[in-house]
Amino acid sequence: MTHDLGVALTVDVPGGPLTCRSWGDEDGALVVAVHGITANAVSWALIGQALSGRGIRLVAPDLRGRGDSADLGDASIGRHAEDVWAIADALGHERATLLGHSMGGFVVAVAATRHPERTHAVVLVDGGPPLTDEPVAEDRVEEVLAAFVGPALARLDRPFADAAAYRALWANHPGVSAGTPDWLLNAYAAHDAAPTGTGTEVRCRVVREQVVADAHDTLVDTEVLEAVRRLAVPAWMLVAERGFTDGPDPLYPDTAVQQIRDGSALRDIVRVAGTNHYTITTSPVGAAAVADAVEQAVQRAG
């Protein structure tokens, strides 16, 4: 398989250009894919490749405050949701299927509830339903965020000696490295960091303040917390077998999955064996499962 990192394109949104990557046939059914809270568009590369030849165009933005959109501020879940529809507008599509991983699941759920008439279908990947039983207190948002994504969050606060040191961070991350191909780790790390201007030193391009603003919304904002329950379009969910650091406790255990089934109109929730929270999108087995679910959603919605 070729190592296809997609075609770069930019979309004008309030505040400036939003940078995206596109895979597949430009005339195919549009799927807008939204990454997780400290991730970037390169995380969709395996899924973009897996959808090749299926009549689907996958377009994934670097969200505000990440990757090539790092300088674009005003991050919030609602703002990202409106950016999803700005992408569809720019590409000439009235309707789209929405795909979201982790925090991206919250984004696409809000996008779909705000504009159901434009939403063909929704596929949630280990994200979207609330992560806590009750909204989190305002003063505990960063504490709870760190508890969920501590290793990924820690990289935002320090420089690295060089690009190799930054790449080693991901090689040593027990969740990301568990099944992600080396070529994708290399590409992801290269896209995620930039020189600081001091010798060979590099720093992650993810803006902490934007991450905290988004975390606030996923943990506190009522519209965001209720979005999956309010979905009125065909929607499916995939959940990982394991957790953030490849441990045995998934983000959505069986009890939570049953509560989601009981409290939403999701058509199905499938646990993807052999994946954790990260590798459900970045490993061959996870990418294949997500690509199949997306194709089925495009074909079966309605």
Side-chain angles (χ1 to χ4, degrees):
M1 178 181 287
T2 60
H3 300 165
D4 183 2
L5 298 177
V7 176
L9 59 94
T10 57
V11 172
D12 289 331
V13 296
L18 185 74
T19 300
C20 306
R21 288 176 183 255
S22 173
W23 292 264
D25 185 349
E26 290 188 4
D27 296 325
L30 178 63
V31 176
V32 180
V34 183
H35 63 68
I37 195 164
T38 72
N40 61 59
V42 172
S43 63
W44 295 106
L46 272 181
I47 294 167
Q49 290 185 180
L51 286 169
S52 177
R54 303 197 199 188
I56 290 170
R57 184 182 190 185
L58 184 75
V59 178
D62 280 337
L63 293 178
R64 294 168 184 261
R66 288 86 167 172
D68 287 340
S69 303
D71 294 333
L72 189 59
D74 192 28
S76 69
I77 299 299
R79 181 67 268 165
H80 298 316
E82 295 304 323
D83 288 344
V84 165
W85 296 117
I87 292 168
D89 289 340
L91 299 177
H93 288 261
E94 178 58 31
R95 302 183 75 211
T97 293
L98 308 183
L99 170 64
H101 172 238
S102 194
M103 184 201 77
F106 294 85
V107 172
V108 300
V110 171
T113 56
R114 287 187 178 185
H115 297 283
E117 77 286 354
R118 300 196 63 181
T119 307
H120 181 71
V122 171
V123 179
L124 306 172
V125 182
D126 225 36
L131 301 176
T132 58
D133 292 335
E134 300 291 338
V136 172
E138 298 272 354
D139 61 357
R140 293 192 62 236
V141 167
E142 291 199 53
E143 172 192 342
V144 174
L145 173 64
F148 280 117
V149 295
L153 191 67
R155 79 188 195 279
L156 312 187
D157 299 324
R158 64 185 182 94
F160 292 78
D162 53 27
Y166 194 74
R167 168 64 175 79
L169 169 78
W170 295 110
N172 294 324
H173 188 297
V176 176
S177 63
T180 306
D182 283 345
W183 70 265
L184 184 54
L185 275 177
N186 291 339
Y188 184 91
H191 190 64
D192 199 46
T196 65
T198 302
T200 60
E201 187 178 85
V202 301
R203 197 177 191 100
C204 178
R205 294 201 286 172
V206 177
V207 179
R208 171 180 263 278
E209 292 76 14
Q210 307 288 341
V211 168
V212 173
D214 288 335
H216 170 276
D217 291 351
T218 64
L219 297 170
V220 176
D221 187 273
T222 301
E223 179 190 17
V224 177
L225 293 174
E226 294 182 353
V228 169
R229 182 180 60 80
R230 294 174 51 231
L231 282 172
V233 299
W236 291 263
M237 185 173 184
L238 289 78
V239 292
E241 183 178 50
R242 300 172 70 81
F244 282 92
T245 56
D246 205 40
D249 298 323
L251 183 61
Y252 294 100
D254 290 342
T255 53
V257 168
Q258 188 57 53
Q259 290 174 350
I260 297 164
R261 289 186 192 278
D262 295 342
S264 72
L266 292 176
R267 295 191 175 186
D268 198 8
I269 305 175
V270 176
R271 192 170 297 284
V272 183
T275 66
N276 63 43
H277 179 73
Y278 296 104
T279 60
I280 197 170
T281 59
T282 63
S283 69
V285 64
V290 173
D292 287 347
V294 168
E295 182 180 31
Q296 292 170 18
V298 169
Q299 294 176 347
R300 293 166 52 196

